[in-house]
Amino acid sequence: MITGRAKLAGVIGDPIGHSLSPVLHGYWLDKYGIDGAYVPLNVAAQHIGDVLQTLPLLHFKGVNLTLPHKEAALHIVDELSDIAQRIGAVNTVTVKQNGLLYGTNSDAEGFIQNLRQQAGDPDAYLDHAMILGAGGAARAIAVALLDAGVRRLSLSNRSAAKAQALASALDTHATIVDWQYKDEALADVSLLVNTTSLGMTGQPALELSLDALPQTALVSDVIYNPLMTPLLKQAKARGHVVVTGLGMLIHQAVAGFESWYGFRPETDAKLVALLEGMVMS
Ligand code: NDP
């Protein structure tokens, strides 16, 4: 139940029907007895500017942004956090008291917190990380790994030019691995992250041989539907520590929830089970 004083927030995307964020935030609102609502908002790319500018008029506390709005929002919000600038995308917008829009990005934090929760101290895996993919998720994870102190970074993407562009934007040395030769390049990798959409429900699996990957390496996938992607199944069968993507989604949501509703939520087993029940295992 909400009252006329309910604090309002939501998630904007196109499409938005698949989003688990309303379930996630709805669970926390309920758990903490907060008078608030979090709604899915389907907004086409050409309207994102108008819609974001309207949030203060509607007295919204803020929104999350998902595809295709994360990059566009960089140029719409009034103030940007340092991390959103470095990632080149906004996933969380807060309407400040003075009506200005503050944009930040919690995907990097979500990735690291998830790694910590599922695999312990990330430093044990930070000798050489390889990221597959060079889209929005890859950018956030590259920043997360650099901030966590990764010692070597390799990037491999189907379109090599995008991997090059990502490396330049990161302002650090990253080895670009030809997509064709990524299997062999796994030989001294300690942390492998798939950020491509390959392996997602409805998409072909990522074709990758893990034969060269050291036994001690951690394998992570940002895809959360299915929870165990073909890559993670293969890695688990070989005895690698694996990290699924659902926890990243949960942890990236914390910052927005705290900023809009004034309460830092905690992940619990019931929430994880609820969300796991909504995706394929
Ligand atoms: P983008 O569209 O920005 O990037 C997609 C990436 O996948 C690109 O590197 C693209 O390569 C690659 N790719 C797509 N199709 C193929 C293919 N057939 N063969 C090889 N490579 C391919 O998407 P995002 O980075 O935003 O999202 C990627 C995935 O991460 C999605 O599944 C998304 O759901 C998930 N995600 C999960 C989050 C979480 O919280 N767990 C957060 C954000 C995203 P190319 O450049 O060559 O096109």
Side-chain angles (χ1 to χ4, degrees):
M1 193 184 77
I2 59 170
T3 73
R5 291 190 183 81
K7 294 174 175 171
L8 304 178
V11 56
I12 304 181
D14 184 16
I16 200 63
H18 66 286
S19 177
L20 293 179
S21 294
V23 177
L24 174 53
H25 286 273
Y27 176 87
W28 282 331
L29 287 170
D30 198 39
K31 175 176 173 180
Y32 298 114
I34 294 170
D35 186 11
Y38 182 99
V39 293
L41 299 162
N42 194 335
V43 173
Q46 69 266 32
H47 300 307
I48 188 62
D50 290 342
V51 169
L52 286 178
Q53 299 297 353
T54 306
L55 293 177
L57 308 179
L58 291 168
H59 297 280
F60 260 58
K61 296 290 180 191
V63 286
N64 283 128
L65 296 173
T66 186
L67 280 172
H69 304 307
K70 288 183 178 187
E71 282 92 21
L74 276 178
H75 312 288
I76 299 168
V77 297
D78 303 295
E79 292 171 23
L80 262 186
S81 69
D82 177 54
I83 194 136
Q85 215 145 18
R86 287 168 62 218
I87 293 173
V90 169
N91 79 340
T92 307
V93 176
T94 296
V95 180
K96 295 176 45 168
Q97 296 275 5
N98 58 7
L100 294 181
L101 301 175
Y102 173 74
T104 188
N105 193 310
S106 57
D107 280 339
E109 176 70 8
F111 175 77
I112 288 293
Q113 289 298 347
N114 184 38
L115 204 64
R116 192 165 280 133
Q117 191 165 48
Q118 291 192 49
D121 184 1
D123 196 60
Y125 302 100
L126 292 179
D127 274 339
H128 180 191
M130 182 185 287
I131 299 178
L132 303 177
R139 265 179 98 112
I141 288 167
V143 167
L145 290 172
L146 289 171
D147 287 356
V150 72
R151 292 171 276 284
R152 266 181 72 198
L153 184 63
S154 295
L155 304 173
S156 187
N157 191 50
R158 178 181 56 177
S159 325
K162 271 179 74 179
Q164 287 287 1
L166 173 55
S168 311
L170 290 172
D171 200 21
T172 189
H173 176 75
T175 306
I176 309 296
V177 175
D178 193 301
W179 186 246
Q180 230 185 316
Y181 301 120
K182 57 188 180 307
D183 298 20
E184 299 98 278
L186 295 175
D188 64 350
V189 164
S190 53
L191 195 166
L192 173 68
V193 194
N194 174 44
T195 74
T196 74
S197 43
L198 293 172
M200 212 168 124
T201 304
Q203 295 281 328
L206 168 71
E207 281 182 27
L208 183 71
S209 162
L210 298 181
D211 288 351
L213 188 68
Q215 200 63 49
T216 49
L218 180 152
V219 180
S220 164
D221 205 321
V222 293
I223 290 170
Y224 51 81
N225 198 358
L227 195 61
M228 284 300 286
T229 59
L231 171 69
L232 293 184
K233 282 184 179 162
Q234 187 193 348
K236 196 170 176 191
R238 285 174 45 92
H240 292 283
V241 173
V242 300
V243 172
T244 57
L246 191 59
M248 178 177 168
L249 182 82
I250 298 174
H251 287 288
Q252 64 76 35
V254 169
F257 191 93
E258 183 176 21
S259 151
W260 311 318
Y261 303 114
F263 197 91
R264 191 165 180 86
E266 300 222 340
T267 307
D268 60 47
K270 202 172 147 194
L271 171 61
V272 174
L274 175 70
L275 294 172
E276 282 184 2
M278 300 184 76
V279 299
M280 292 171 66
S281 55

